């Protein structure tokens, strides 16, 4: 009975679960931020590509 009470009163497992939940939230935040920034970076490179293509076409005329 003492072992069962010690298991119930043990808070180390709860702490590990809390840290796991925090890590999961941080990972989810990283995924969302990466997705948002990834689209912005792609848009920026596409804009630069179009400007360089236009400049090259003008320079070769």
């Amino acid at each position: 009975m003492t072992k069962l009470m010690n298991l119930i009163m043990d808070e180390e497992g709860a702490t590990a679960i809390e840290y796991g939940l925090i890590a999961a939230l941080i990972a989810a935040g990283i995924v969302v931020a990466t997705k948002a920034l990834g689209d912005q970076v792609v848009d920026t490179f596409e804009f630069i590509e179009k400007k360089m293509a236009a400049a090259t076409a003008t320079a070769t005329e």
Side-chain angles (χ1 to χ4, degrees):
M1 187 67 162
T2 305
K3 287 187 178 186
L4 180 60
M5 290 304 293
N6 286 340
L7 183 62
I8 292 172
M9 300 299 288
D10 186 15
E11 293 184 5
E12 288 182 24
T15 303
I17 291 171
E18 290 167 356
Y19 283 131
L21 290 172
I22 291 169
L25 288 172
I26 291 171
I30 290 171
V31 168
V32 169
T34 302
K35 176 64 178 154
L37 290 176
D39 290 342
Q40 187 176 0
V41 169
V42 168
D43 291 343
T44 301
F45 278 115
E46 288 175 350
F47 175 78
I48 293 170
E49 177 186 13
K50 289 177 187 175
K51 291 293 184 178
M52 290 180 70
T56 304
T58 303
T60 57
E61 292 179 357

